């Protein structure tokens, strides 16, 4: 299943934000910041990545429902998306 580029613009924005946050975490470690602060920021990066992944899956599900022309293919796509969802859960 391929997703439309336009529908993933929000995901790209989330990933770029996470990329910046991860750079900040690396800098915090290099600057020997407090462990608590580093972990807090690392958790924020993790949540941002999870949200991006869930958004990709949600977008795929929306497209499966909208494109329901081939029921067998739609079922296969949904099964694949379910597996991907479980890898993030």
């Amino acid at each position: 299943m391929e997703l439309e580029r336009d529908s993933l613009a929000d995901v790209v924005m989330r990933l770029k934000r996470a990329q910046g946050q991860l750079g900040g975490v690396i800098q915090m470690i290099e600057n020997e910041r407090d462990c608590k602060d580093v972990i807090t920021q690392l958790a924020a990066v993790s949540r941002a990545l999870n949200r991006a992944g869930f958004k990709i899956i949600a977008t795929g599900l929306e497209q499966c429902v909208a494109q329901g022309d081939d029921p067998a293919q739609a079922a296969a796509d949904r099964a694949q998306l379910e597996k991907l969802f479980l890898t993030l859960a």
Side-chain angles (χ1 to χ4, degrees):
M1 167 191 309
E2 290 188 29
L3 301 175
E4 298 170 9
R5 178 179 286 190
D6 292 343
S7 63
L8 295 178
D10 183 49
V11 172
V12 171
M13 183 181 69
R14 288 172 190 259
L15 290 173
K16 287 181 179 183
R17 188 178 309 131
Q19 183 179 29
Q21 288 175 313
L22 185 56
V25 170
I26 293 168
Q27 191 172 35
M28 290 173 76
I29 292 170
E30 291 174 344
N31 293 337
E32 299 178 1
R33 292 279 303 271
D34 183 69
C35 178
K36 180 180 151 188
D37 296 336
V38 172
I39 295 300
T40 299
Q41 288 304 310
L42 194 55
V45 173
S46 179
R47 284 190 306 272
L49 292 173
N50 284 339
R51 280 190 221 118
F54 288 131
K55 179 66 176 174
I56 290 170
I57 292 169
T59 301
L61 286 172
E62 288 172 356
Q63 287 183 11
C64 280
V65 170
Q67 294 175 351
D69 295 339
D70 180 3
Q73 183 60 47
D77 289 344
R78 281 193 296 275
Q80 182 181 17
L81 288 166
E82 181 181 350
K83 286 180 184 180
L84 291 171
F85 175 81
L86 291 173
T87 63
L88 290 173

